[in-house]
Amino acid sequence: MLKLTRKVEYSLIALRHMQRKSIDSVSSTKEIATHYNIPLEILAKTLQHMAKENIIEAINGPRGGYRIKAKLNNINLAEFFEKVEGPLGLSDCFYDANCMQIEHCNIRTPIQRINDNMINMFRSMSVQDITN
Amino acid sequence: MLKLTRKVEYSLIALRHMQRKSIDSVSSTKEIATHYNIPLEILAKTLQHMAKENIIEAINGPRGGYRIKAKLNNINLAEFFEKVEGPLGLSDCFYDANCMQIEHCNIRTPIQRINDNMINMFRSMSVQDITN
DNA sequence: TTTATATCCGATATAAATTATCGGATATAT
DNA sequence: ATATATCCGATAATTTATATCGGATATAAA
């Protein structure tokens, strides 16, 4: 419960790795995967996904790889999590109502409050705060 | 990602249900299950668990059921989640180190910060804040 | 222009966690 | 006694997360 997925973890690890290099040098999937012991194919997918979201950019061909594209201090953690994992919410009913108890549910509103607090907390931190 | 489990949801629903009754009246599993459309056996387990944690108490036999035992304003959400679901943490490595990348992990410390923020947030709300 | 290295990406398999069910025991008010 | 309720270990089903496969495309360098 309340765990980050590996996809998010791998994304952050990769970003931090890239950020520590000079701005225009690239990092290949293999380089990152072997360095951090991450399954290559999974990391590949993860990086492709971040590239699609314009967080990083892909350089094809030999000597290729990825490098950071977005300003990481402009992306807050709530946005980042949503880009990588999709909609954020303590319960599904906040974005995809289809719940057996929705009619009699007596905790939706109070849980919404916890949810708001959590999201505000994530909004108050940037990706840069993590990767720096 | 970052979802509450049904067990937690069912627990909160049940507590809120009980709290709306007079202090010494009991609620049976069946009563709560049918009212909120929760699978009976699951709810039974959930309530047994809360009873073991001394949050509620069980009254056996016919006319039996459960009633609130603890002072809900004295239990913060972090405690509550741990009682119901076990250790809290955005990543397993915070309480059960056994991670492939532990040696080279470059995000453990920064994620710990998010984690601390999250747990503080939960500590600042009581179960009563939810069930009231 | 060939070759090696890299990303790209849909499809699918595997593993883990969550959610749900079953069977039979124990307690107790009526 | 009997009916109603909790108790609880074992297991099944479902869902989600994680990982793998196969083959295509792009491109730098020999």
Side-chain angles (χ1 to χ4, degrees):
Chain A
M1 189 181 82
L2 294 170
K3 292 247 183 332
L4 300 179
T5 59
R6 291 239 204 289
K7 208 162 151 190
V8 166
E9 290 180 356
Y10 295 160
S11 297
L12 289 172
I13 287 173
L15 284 178
R16 188 167 163 111
H17 179 87
M18 290 184 230
Q19 196 167 46
R20 276 154 186 261
K21 295 185 164 188
S22 67
I23 187 71
D24 53 351
S25 73
V26 302
S27 309
S28 75
T29 305
K30 194 197 287 181
E31 166 191 336
I32 299 175
T34 54
H35 192 276
Y36 298 97
N37 232 312
I38 301 173
L40 184 83
E41 294 294 334
I42 298 252
L43 182 65
K45 283 278 195 318
T46 303
L47 296 176
Q48 281 158 35
H49 187 151
M50 279 205 288
K52 219 178 247 173
E53 295 288 344
N54 287 306
I55 300 168
I56 58 181
E57 83 187 310
I59 313 294
N60 269 337
R63 308 294 206 112
Y66 295 90
R67 67 184 166 208
I68 291 177
K69 186 175 177 193
K71 297 259 174 263
L72 298 189
N73 57 339
N74 284 342
I75 308 179
N76 68 54
L77 279 187
E79 284 179 78
F80 179 73
F81 290 162
E82 297 216 316
K83 275 179 197 293
V84 174
E85 275 295 330
L88 219 51
L90 287 175
S91 295
D92 288 344
C93 62
F94 296 138
Y95 51 83
D96 165 33
N98 182 26
C99 173
M100 278 342 293
Q101 39 262 140
I102 194 82
E103 281 164 48
H104 299 95
C105 182
N106 60 3
I107 55 166
R108 191 165 190 281
T109 313
I111 284 190
Q112 180 90 59
R113 281 202 301 274
I114 316 179
N115 201 54
D116 291 348
N117 284 347
M118 194 180 73
I119 288 179
N120 281 333
M121 196 265 289
F122 288 140
R123 270 208 266 266
S124 75
M125 306 181 78
S126 75
V127 175
Q128 176 116 261
D129 292 334
I130 304 307
T131 55
N132 246 353
Chain B
M1 188 181 83
L2 294 171
K3 292 244 183 334
L4 300 179
T5 59
R6 291 238 205 292
K7 208 162 154 191
V8 166
E9 290 180 356
Y10 296 160
S11 296
L12 289 172
I13 287 174
L15 284 179
R16 188 168 163 112
H17 180 86
M18 291 184 230
Q19 195 167 47
R20 278 156 184 256
K21 295 186 166 185
S22 65
I23 187 73
D24 53 351
S25 74
V26 303
S27 309
S28 76
T29 305
K30 195 197 286 181
E31 167 192 335
I32 299 176
T34 54
H35 192 277
Y36 297 99
N37 231 314
I38 301 173
L40 185 83
E41 295 294 334
I42 298 253
L43 182 64
K45 282 280 193 322
T46 304
L47 296 177
Q48 282 157 35
H49 187 153
M50 279 206 288
K52 218 178 247 172
E53 294 288 346
N54 287 307
I55 301 169
I56 58 181
E57 83 187 309
I59 314 293
N60 268 338
R63 308 292 209 112
Y66 294 91
R67 67 184 167 210
I68 292 176
K69 186 175 179 191
K71 297 256 174 268
L72 299 188
N73 57 340
N74 283 343
I75 308 179
N76 68 54
L77 279 186
E79 286 179 76
F80 180 73
F81 290 163
E82 298 215 314
K83 276 177 196 291
V84 173
E85 276 295 332
L88 219 52
L90 286 175
S91 295
D92 288 344
C93 61
F94 296 137
Y95 50 85
D96 166 34
N98 181 26
C99 173
M100 279 339 295
Q101 38 263 137
I102 195 79
E103 280 163 50
H104 298 95
C105 183
N106 60 1
I107 56 165
R108 190 165 190 278
T109 312
I111 284 191
Q112 181 92 57
R113 282 201 299 274
I114 317 180
N115 201 54
D116 291 347
N117 284 346
M118 195 180 72
I119 287 178
N120 281 334
M121 197 265 289
F122 287 139
R123 271 209 263 267
S124 74
M125 305 180 80
S126 74
V127 175
Q128 177 117 262
D129 292 335
I130 303 307
T131 56
N132 248 353

